[in-house]
Amino acid sequence: MRVVIVTESFPPDVNGVAHCAFQTARHLVDRGHAPLVVAPATAGTAADERAPCPVVRVPSLPLPGYPQVRVALPGRRLAAAIAGHRADVVHLAGPFVLGVRGMAAAARLGLPAVAVYQTDLAGYARTYLGAGEAAAWRRIRAVHTAADLTLAPSGAALRDLQAHGVPGGELWPRGVDTARFRPGLRDAELRRALAPNGELVVGYVGRLAPEKQVELLSGVCALSGVRVVVVGDGPSRPGLEQALPGAVFLGRRTGDELARIFASLDVFVHTGPFETFCQTVQEAMASGVPVVAPAAGGPLDLVAHGRTGLLVPPRDAAAVRDAVWSLAADPGLRDAYGAAGRAAVEGRTWAAVGDQLIGYYTDVLAGRRTAVAA
């Protein structure tokens, strides 16, 4: 099967869309298929040399105020890449700018398209602009309605799409590397470096941007015997360094180093309410770490409240603080939640969800053939 993955983001970018697109391409290669990735151009090309398949970069500009995000510019390279690859199916990863043009190109070429909803862009519009939510949903609705199939990563995301007029849709969650993220990587030396007085280590991993609402950890920073560790980077970092006194900011970490940090936490906290999935929650669970997360979006599918972690009301700093404090006071409960979280994700491999995706492609192609025959 020849697949073109049109993605709004790809490594070296570090975010859910980029990671999922990379894992999808790798799995397709592993299963003997022929993927091609089309993504916005970045500052360097070294990451493309490590990609599992060819990557076509289209011209792009940095998003004003958030240069880590690139926005693709109009041009002919995308349509030429799809046609030149002789694609059987076009995969649209988080379509909004480049993906919308990918949908149009697929339609012109008569190719089936699978649109993967991955980012709550309407929520981002509300956060950054204080407006534009309705316009964002119009754009999302247009591209997903035009696609042969829409895939959503969580039940909450699927319900959100349906509530805004996107018909049908299927659930397609994300995998997690349980060999990389595992409890056995817990590192006593790292813990001493992060918390030299034996504090409880509470971690956040992710982008440091307004929509993540990391400032909700301010109450946790004030707890006695607790050390907050923040992993990631982004435009909000300077303000967060002021808002979270005593927190340790480690910057961006990836790969085995990130896995070691995860396993060395006592509690993982996610604060953002706009997650369609929330991969870092799943990575914390794979690392055997109890989770505190908002009762909204993707975490509703991932965190079993009172069994693998605690769900709290979104945007409630006091609730986050109290949840962490309850876990700080009960090491046995932390151990039980961590073990249950690890058990819950052990079957959620990228191979398993990748095979599910290939099944969706096969169904879409069969549907097209049936329609043509009719």
Side-chain angles (χ1 to χ4, degrees), residues 224-280:
S224 177
V226 170
R227 175 73 71 188
V228 171
V229 175
V230 178
V231 181
D233 212 343
S236 294
R237 179 167 176 170
L240 289 170
E241 288 178 339
Q242 298 297 316
L244 304 178
V248 178
F249 285 78
L250 296 179
R252 173 183 164 184
R253 304 297 173 97
T254 60
D256 294 340
E257 184 182 22
L258 177 61
R260 187 167 61 100
I261 294 169
F262 262 118
S264 300
L265 302 175
D266 294 304
V267 178
F268 176 79
V269 179
H270 186 78
T271 49
F274 302 123
E275 302 298 329
T276 59
F277 186 75
C278 200
Q279 182 69 355
T280 55

Side-chain angles (χ1 to χ4, degrees), residues 4-9 17 38-40 58 70-73 78 82 90-108 113-116 121 139-140 142-144 146-147:
V4 174
I5 300 171
V6 181
T7 178
E8 306 289 339
S9 184
V17 172
V38 182
V58 301
R70 307 284 302 190
V71 179
L73 297 173
L78 169 61
I82 294 173
V90 176
H91 174 122
L92 309 171
F96 194 71
V97 178
L98 187 61
V100 169
R101 295 199 283 273
M103 181 68 251
R108 287 195 301 272
V114 174
V116 182
L121 291 161
R139 194 170 182 86
I140 293 166
V143 67
H144 283 275

Side-chain angles (χ1 to χ4, degrees), residues 177-359:
D177 187 343
T178 53
R180 167 167 283 171
F181 295 97
R182 62 188 191 275
L185 294 178
R186 192 172 178 86
D187 188 325
E189 182 178 347
L190 174 61
R191 287 177 53 79
R192 283 193 295 271
L194 295 173
N197 297 313
E199 298 95 335
L200 186 89
V201 181
V202 176
Y204 165 86
V205 178
R207 291 198 311 278
L208 305 185
E211 73 274 9
K212 300 299 184 180
Q213 299 186 5
V214 186
E215 66 276 4
L216 293 174
L217 289 171
S218 59
V220 179
C221 288
L223 292 174
S224 177
V226 170
R227 175 73 71 188
V228 171
V229 175
V230 178
V231 181
D233 212 343
S236 294
R237 179 167 176 170
L240 289 170
E241 288 178 339
Q242 298 297 316
L244 304 178
V248 178
F249 285 78
L250 296 179
R252 173 183 164 184
R253 304 297 173 97
T254 60
D256 294 340
E257 184 182 22
L258 177 61
R260 187 167 61 100
I261 294 169
F262 262 118
S264 300
L265 302 175
D266 294 304
V267 178
F268 176 79
V269 179
H270 186 78
T271 49
F274 302 123
E275 302 298 329
T276 59
F277 186 75
C278 200
Q279 182 69 355
T280 55
V281 162
Q282 197 166 232
E283 289 168 350
M285 293 169 68
S287 304
V289 178
V291 172
V292 175
L300 290 170
D301 283 7
L302 297 173
V303 181
H305 181 73
R307 192 169 69 85
T308 64
L310 298 172
L311 293 169
V312 299
R315 306 176 184 86
D316 190 332
V320 172
R321 179 201 62 208
D322 293 348
V324 170
W325 187 243
S326 69
L327 291 171
D330 195 337
L333 188 61
R334 295 200 304 273
D335 290 344
Y337 284 0
R342 172 70 188 188
V345 302
E346 282 182 321
R348 300 179 192 169
T349 64
W350 279 107
V353 300
D355 286 344
Q356 183 185 17
L357 177 64
I358 292 170

